Amino acid sequence: MSLPVFPYGKLSFAVSLALCSAYSFATEVENTQPQERVDLPTVTVQGVGKQTTSNYTIPASSAATGIRLTQRETPQSLSVVTAKQIEDQGLDSLQDVLKQTPGVFHSKMGNNVSGHSEFISRSQAVDSISVDGAPKFLYDYKAIRRGTNNLDSALYDQVVVVRGASGLSNGGMGEPGGTVALERKKPTAKPAVSVEAGVGSWKHYRFVLDVNQPLNADNTLRGRTILVSDHGGDYLPNTSRHNHTFYGILSYDIAPQTQWNIGTEIHRFRNKGSSPFSYLTVAGDPDNNQPFEPFAASPRSNASAKWAYGKDTSAEVFTSLSHEFDNGWKLTGNYSYLTGKSDIVSGIAGAFVIKPDYSALFTSDRDRSKYRDQDFSLILDGDYPALGRSHEFNAGISYQGNRESLSFYGDSESTIPDVRRFDGNIAKPDMPYSRDGFTDMKNLSVYGSTRFKLTDKLTFIGGGRFVDWRYRYSTDRNKFAYSSHKQKVFIPYLGVTYDLDDNLTAYASYTTIFRPQVRNLTKDGVALEPQRGKTYETGLKASWFDGRLNASASVFMNKRDHVGVKAGEFPNGKEYFRAVNKTTTKGGELAIGGRLSDRWLLNASYARSKIKNSEGKQLHPSYPVHLFKLFTAYDVTDHLNLGANVNWQSGTNAYDEYQPLTAAGKEALTQRPYATLDLTAHYKIGKSTRIGLDFENVFNKRYRPMPDIHVYGTPRSVTATVKHTF
């Protein structure tokens, strides 16, 4: 298979040469003779720093291929955010974690309390998610959007983001931006209790209790419970949140080779005075040929009514059973059942059009739903001999099903005379119940993959997933009117790695893209066809110090048809779309992460990507082409740790969506390149207590994540925490 030649191939070639020359000092150790497996006792290494004893890397992950591989062995780009990094950077939510992940851009159209979040990688959405190796419900970004602003990071040992298409492991569907793989914290044999309390800007209060305890004498039964309570306001006035999370899990060793887990997650999210969207940065009347002009308002103003609120409550029960056979093969079954309900009452001024006299439409609506998700997977993996070597195999079946009952209410509209003076005080209108609807999605897939070692240096990875996807949707259940869609598709995966020496590996991979988008309607009300395409990636990966430090350089390209882009708005403000064919996304990434020394931890990355249509015009110019992220932490003493985080991105714009425009209006719809700086300081008191200060946006940089939306990034803020482990 020949991979395409990129326009910036000279850059990637230079990077490759640089990596090769920099890593040439490694001593090559090679043994070509087959060896019998020898199980060695576990060795715990201590004394490598007082606060950096945990790495920013993990031994292996199956998030990309289904086979547990090290970062260097995986023929695809992936990033790892460990519990250590989450603690060091003060990343309280999954949203915070993804914002700091290499190559990921956070597109935010509302405030931090209930804002409409979207995560972008390689100029495409990151919209699929798995938990403990099992793909979760995916459709219309809900897996990644539902509660993302609130999901607490205290529940996870690690967050792995696979950049690029990963249909082999994510249920077979999704944008080629990437997949988020979460791994929950599990009970251990060592008793431990930790208590963390924090207070921050805008009356933010946070409390975390983590209890781990063996429950019998031989430690075969273990339990863990995590409680989180998070409250506070936001930098925008009249907003507040009240979030509660409960997580509990039991692990039982039925036999030395058989383990059973059962647990639950309960979430209760509440917010007040906030709506998912904010108003525009320009005012105009295109219907009367009055060009859009800049709309001046305070960066800290809130266009939401004070009575607006959002409620979401969910409860999940999950279980898994795994058995390792005498030959080393392992069979794992996972099942989860989640039920929940949400109630969102929104009231927003100027969300669609602001007139030249600054009068604006005030719209209010209510969305209520009850949802039920079921996820099942059965996985078999192990090693098999062939041609004098041992190879890995993985196969499985997975099912995701979602049923959501929707309640629709009458919308209300009125006019705000001057949106610049709007302070959220407005009478709450009647929003009477109208009708019910539903969505019903089922996804059944079977898959398999193998890692075959052709030589001691050359490895081939091949596999595929067959997907049977069905979807029904109705906005009026009472009339039994609905649209129905179904697709059957096969998604292949091919990858190859070659060890250039003991530290450096070259790789290449190929897969296809399948992404349903039936909720994206054309102007005629017809659903867009599924996105289809191909994606290629090649690069170099390096690893040192037994995997504690990893580096990578990659280039990628994907070609897609039927890409849905916004084409306009209906009179009610709802968007309609058009399909764009023959799009091409190209880019490159550089990353290094892990431990440089026993006291120094580092995560640094640069990413470049751009998507163009068949005529060479950039699509989605509101997404940055360039991203640079750097976080480093250093143990100044055995007790004091200091860290710094820098995020930089190139400029963005949205003026193609608003016409006609004045020159000033065009400038107003442009966000120039910007950088933010965060600082952290942690001090250990004795062996069990840690106090910390986390400063966000130290220089109080003013910027807009979306250039056409009048909501700004978080201003300067500070959070103080104390954590004690018993």
Side-chain angles (χ1 to χ4, degrees):
M1 175 184 66
S2 61
L3 295 177
V5 179
F6 298 88
Y8 39 86
K10 294 182 179 179
L11 173 62
S12 62
F13 181 69
V15 172
S16 301
L17 288 179
L19 282 173
C20 289
S21 58
Y23 311 147
S24 62
F25 65 85
T27 302
E28 183 173 336
V29 178
E30 193 174 291
N31 188 349
T32 59
Q33 299 299 319
Q35 300 290 322
E36 294 184 359
R37 177 178 173 178
V38 179
D39 294 324
L40 299 176
T42 301
V43 178
T44 302
V45 180
Q46 299 177 338
V48 289
K50 301 302 180 181
Q51 298 199 54
T52 58
T53 53
S54 299
N55 294 320
Y56 279 18
T57 59
I58 58 176
S61 173
S62 59
T65 65
I67 301 171
R68 289 189 62 82
L69 303 173
T70 67
Q71 293 192 51
R72 183 179 159 194
E73 293 170 336
T74 304
Q76 200 167 340
S77 296
L78 60 87
S79 299
V80 179
V81 182
T82 62
K84 170 66 175 174
Q85 185 178 349
I86 290 173
E87 184 178 43
D88 285 349
Q89 291 190 253
L91 309 176
D92 294 341
S93 66
L94 179 58
Q95 175 180 258
D96 294 337
V97 173
L98 295 178
K99 286 167 61 177
Q100 301 301 329
T101 301
V104 176
F105 164 67
H106 180 213
S107 167
K108 185 174 69 172
M109 290 179 274
N111 57 59
N112 288 340
V113 173
S114 65
H116 183 83
S117 291
E118 190 175 7
F119 298 93
I120 307 298
S121 176
R122 300 184 172 182
S123 301
Q124 293 123 152
V126 179
D127 67 353
S128 44
I129 193 168
S130 67
V131 180
D132 295 338
K136 305 294 287 185
F137 165 69
L138 167 65
Y139 186 69
D140 198 32
Y141 310 117
K142 287 185 178 179
I144 210 68
R145 283 183 178 170
R146 178 181 288 156
T148 300
N149 289 8
N150 303 302
L151 283 178
D152 205 283
S153 61
L155 275 58
Y156 308 114
D157 257 335
Q158 65 191 42
V159 179
V160 178
V161 177
V162 181
R163 297 188 294 279
S166 51
L168 188 60
S169 60
N170 70 356
M173 302 188 299
E175 292 268 3
T179 298
V180 179
L182 307 176
E183 184 171 315
R184 297 184 181 104
K185 292 179 177 178
K186 302 296 193 300
T188 65
K190 183 179 180 180
V193 178
S194 68
V195 178
E196 180 180 343
V199 59
S201 301
W202 311 295
K203 299 180 180 180
H204 178 209
Y205 303 97
R206 174 177 165 85
F207 175 81
V208 182
L209 174 66
D210 187 344
V211 180
N212 180 86
Q213 183 65 44
L215 300 177
N216 59 3
D218 58 0
N219 295 333
T220 57
L221 180 63
R222 305 168 299 278
R224 189 166 190 171
T225 297
I226 299 176
L227 297 171
V228 183
S229 183
D230 193 286
H231 306 266
D234 192 56
Y235 59 93
L236 298 183
N238 308 324
T239 60
S240 64
R241 68 179 180 273
H242 305 277
N243 300 330
H244 302 275
T245 297
F246 171 83
Y247 169 69
I249 183 173
L250 290 173
S251 294
Y252 179 54
D253 298 334
I254 301 174
Q257 295 173 291
T258 306
Q259 186 181 87
W260 178 49
N261 296 297
I262 186 170
T264 184
E265 280 189 38
I266 301 174
H267 302 277
R268 185 179 183 273
F269 304 141
R270 300 287 188 271
N271 67 74
K272 294 182 179 180
S274 59
S275 296
F277 299 93
S278 188
Y279 47 73
L280 306 177
T281 58
V282 290
D285 190 354
D287 294 335
N288 295 309
N289 201 33
Q290 292 180 289
F292 285 100
E293 295 277 2
F295 167 54
S298 168
R300 306 295 173 250
S301 59
N302 184 6
S304 178
K306 290 183 177 181
W307 41 258
Y309 68 82
K311 300 178 181 180
D312 193 290
T313 303
S314 65
E316 179 182 9
V317 177
F318 59 90
T319 186
S320 68
L321 181 65
S322 64
H323 177 75
E324 184 173 345
F325 300 93
D326 292 338
N327 62 358
W329 282 64
K330 187 175 183 180
L331 181 66
T332 303
N334 297 281
Y335 175 78
S336 68
Y337 180 88
L338 180 146
T339 181
K341 60 181 180 180
S342 67
D343 183 10
I344 300 174
V345 175
S346 178
I348 187 74
F352 304 118
V353 175
I354 299 173
K355 299 292 186 177
D357 62 355
Y358 299 113
S359 63
L361 189 68
F362 180 87
T363 59
S364 58
D365 59 49
R366 184 178 189 182
D367 295 310
R368 300 184 70 186
S369 69
K370 295 181 180 179
Y371 50 88
R372 182 187 71 232
D373 297 346
Q374 293 189 81
D375 302 284
F376 169 79
S377 65
L378 186 64
I379 306 167
L380 176 68
D381 54 30
D383 300 340
Y384 64 95
L387 304 178
R389 295 181 177 84
S390 180
H391 316 277
E392 294 91 358
F393 176 81
N394 170 270
I397 181 172
S398 69
Y399 169 84
Q400 299 90 45
N402 169 267
R403 175 80 179 191
E404 187 166 10
S405 299
L406 309 169
S407 296
F408 297 95
Y409 293 77
D411 299 340
S412 177
E413 295 182 354
S414 60
T415 299
I416 302 296
D418 190 340
V419 72
R420 295 172 299 179
R421 295 182 172 86
F422 181 68
D423 59 0
N425 288 305
I426 188 173
K428 184 178 180 180
D430 290 332
M431 289 173 278
Y433 165 80
S434 175
R435 65 192 188 281
D436 286 342
F438 73 89
T439 64
D440 189 10
M441 190 280 296
K442 296 180 175 64
N443 181 31
L444 177 66
S445 62
V446 293
Y447 61 93
S449 60
T450 184
R451 179 175 181 252
F452 195 89
K453 299 174 184 173
L454 298 172
T455 70
D456 289 344
K457 296 177 175 290
L458 180 63
T459 298
F460 168 82
I461 298 175
R465 180 183 288 264
F466 177 79
V467 179
D468 185 353
W469 174 83
R470 301 171 184 266
Y471 182 81
R472 296 188 302 151
Y473 170 75
S474 175
T475 59
D476 197 342
R477 184 172 56 190
N478 300 328
K479 294 182 179 179
F480 301 98
Y482 67 90
S483 62
S484 179
H485 305 266
K486 58 182 179 181
Q487 294 281 341
K488 293 182 179 179
V489 63
F490 176 75
I491 300 172
Y493 184 95
L494 298 173
V496 61
T497 66
Y498 184 80
D499 294 336
L500 300 174
D501 60 27
D502 288 344
N503 300 99
L504 186 64
T505 297
Y507 75 91
S509 62
Y510 162 85
T511 189
T512 59
I513 300 165
F514 171 69
R515 175 67 169 95
Q517 47 186 359
V518 297
R519 294 286 294 276
N520 288 351
L521 303 181
T522 67
K523 191 175 183 179
D524 299 325
V526 179
L528 296 180
E529 294 184 35
Q531 295 181 22
R532 293 184 181 269
K534 302 176 181 180
T535 182
Y536 309 85
E537 182 176 333
T538 185
L540 292 171
K541 292 189 176 184
S543 177
W544 303 273
F545 314 124
D546 295 323
R548 294 192 300 271
L549 180 64
N550 294 276
S552 64
S554 64
V555 292
F556 59 86
M557 180 179 75
N558 68 60
K559 293 182 175 291
R560 285 186 296 166
D561 292 328
H562 314 304
V563 176
V565 298
K566 180 182 175 181
E569 294 179 349
F570 294 110
N572 62 1
K574 300 294 185 180
E575 297 177 345
Y576 58 86
F577 298 81
R578 62 183 176 90
V580 179
N581 294 322
K582 298 181 179 180
T583 69
T584 302
T585 304
K586 297 179 180 180
E589 297 170 336
L590 299 171
I592 185 170
R595 186 191 304 186
L596 296 178
S597 71
D598 61 348
R599 292 181 175 270
W600 188 8
L601 292 170
L602 174 72
N603 258 1
S605 65
Y606 165 77
R608 179 195 185 277
S609 67
K610 182 182 290 187
I611 179 172
K612 297 181 179 180
N613 60 18
S614 59
E615 299 174 350
K617 182 181 179 181
Q618 181 185 358
L619 302 177
H620 305 314
S622 59
Y623 302 159
V625 175
H626 305 274
L627 289 172
F628 173 78
K629 300 184 181 185
L630 169 66
F631 176 75
T632 185
Y634 189 79
D635 286 346
V636 181
T637 69
D638 290 346
H639 298 278
L640 177 63
N641 176 273
L642 300 178
N645 180 68
V646 176
N647 281 342
W648 175 90
Q649 70 170 57
S650 58
T652 58
N653 71 80
Y655 45 75
D656 283 347
E657 299 182 19
Y658 301 88
Q659 297 294 333
L661 282 172
T662 65
K666 186 175 181 179
E667 179 68 19
L669 291 167
T670 300
Q671 172 60 59
R672 298 185 180 277
Y674 66 89
T676 60
L677 173 67
D678 308 326
L679 297 176
T680 64
H682 300 108
Y683 190 82
K684 291 190 70 174
I685 303 175
K687 296 182 178 180
S688 305
T689 304
R690 187 191 199 202
I691 58 176
L693 285 175
D694 299 302
F695 300 89
E696 185 176 355
N697 196 0
V698 172
F699 294 114
N700 204 29
K701 180 65 179 181
R702 186 176 294 181
Y703 65 94
R704 288 169 285 138
M706 293 297 291
D708 60 333
I709 303 297
H710 213 297
V711 61
Y712 286 71
T714 305
R716 182 189 296 118
S717 60
V718 61
T719 301
T721 59
V722 57
K723 181 178 181 180
H724 183 77
T725 302
F726 298 90

